[in-house]
Amino acid sequence: IWVNDLPGIAGAGTAVARTGGGSITLSAVGSVSLGKDSTLDASGGGWLSTGGKLVAGNGGQIRLEANAGANAGGSHPGRVTLGEGAQLRAYGLGKGGTLSLSTRAIRIDHAAGGDDATLDLAPDFFQSGGFAEFNLTGRDGLTLADGVTLAPAPVSWELVADAYLRPGGTRPADLTRRVLRPEQDRQAVRLSLTADATDLGDLTLGM
């Protein structure tokens, strides 16, 4: 949330300054599906103290897990599905959030592979949503296609010019803009790619 305790601002001093993005977990023994145009948002907020100091909130955590509780043996038919236009967000004025996906299989490529049982992700997925950490698990296989380069980078929030005049309770998205900071100022991204099934779990990295 956005909390503004500057003197003279409407509502100053009436809200608790909780700036972190929190966490969202969707876990199922079978499959997890997000519908068309759905949004999961674990973005952080910010707090302006009475003295004008900004406490920048960090993005939270989003975790989508199919095949919950399944051991490493055999196949894992449950899958995570992201409907058309579905969005995952964990922006922050401070640090970016964490995204964890565990599904039957994952393929990272410029074009979809045409296999409905596989979660297809484009390379630019890793520069979206404000995430600074990606933990991807394809239980029965994860493939980085030939010729694909991954360059993860967290897109951050930056306050707009009149943000200090906005009252508490304003949606953080309405008083910020998204920026890709220069490389030397950018938070480093952590990326984990895993295939953990004992029978089918191949991790394939293209050339």
Side-chain angles (χ1 to χ4, degrees):
I1 62 174
W2 173 249
V3 178
N4 189 344
D5 285 337
L6 286 176
I9 298 296
T14 62
V16 178
R18 295 189 177 97
T19 61
S23 63
I24 300 171
T25 298
L26 301 180
S27 179
V29 173
S31 296
V32 175
S33 299
L34 297 187
K36 180 180 179 181
D37 296 326
S38 58
T39 298
L40 297 181
D41 196 337
S43 298
W47 172 44
L48 272 175
S49 71
T50 55
K53 179 181 178 181
L54 174 65
V55 177
N58 297 327
Q61 302 178 25
I62 296 177
R63 178 169 159 266
L64 305 179
E65 179 188 25
N67 306 295
N71 60 35
S75 62
H76 303 84
R79 56 198 177 101
V80 170
T81 303
L82 303 179
E84 181 183 355
Q87 297 188 48
L88 306 174
R89 302 174 184 164
Y91 294 101
L93 288 166
K95 296 180 179 180
T98 298
L99 176 62
S100 300
L101 298 176
S102 180
T103 183
R104 176 187 176 275
I106 297 174
R107 178 179 176 84
I108 304 169
D109 200 353
H110 294 287
D115 179 5
D116 289 341
T118 297
L119 177 61
D120 289 304
L121 300 175
D124 60 6
F125 178 81
F126 299 90
Q127 295 184 3
S128 66
F131 297 102
E133 182 172 348
F134 296 87
N135 301 305
L136 305 185
T137 300
R139 302 295 306 269
D140 294 344
L142 189 152
T143 299
L144 177 66
D146 291 346
V148 174
T149 298
L150 292 184
V155 175
S156 303
W157 270 347
E158 182 176 86
L159 292 176
V160 297
D162 67 345
Y164 283 52
L165 303 177
R166 306 284 186 95
T170 303
R171 291 194 325 134
D174 292 336
L175 48 80
T176 57
R177 62 188 183 97
R178 299 174 187 176
V179 295
L180 183 61
R181 292 172 178 150
E183 190 170 349
Q184 66 271 19
D185 300 328
R186 196 181 303 162
Q187 181 185 357
V189 175
R190 297 182 62 179
L191 173 64
S192 171
L193 304 178
T194 303
D196 66 351
T198 54
D199 299 327
L200 302 169
D202 291 328
L203 180 62
T204 303
L205 303 181
M207 301 297 290

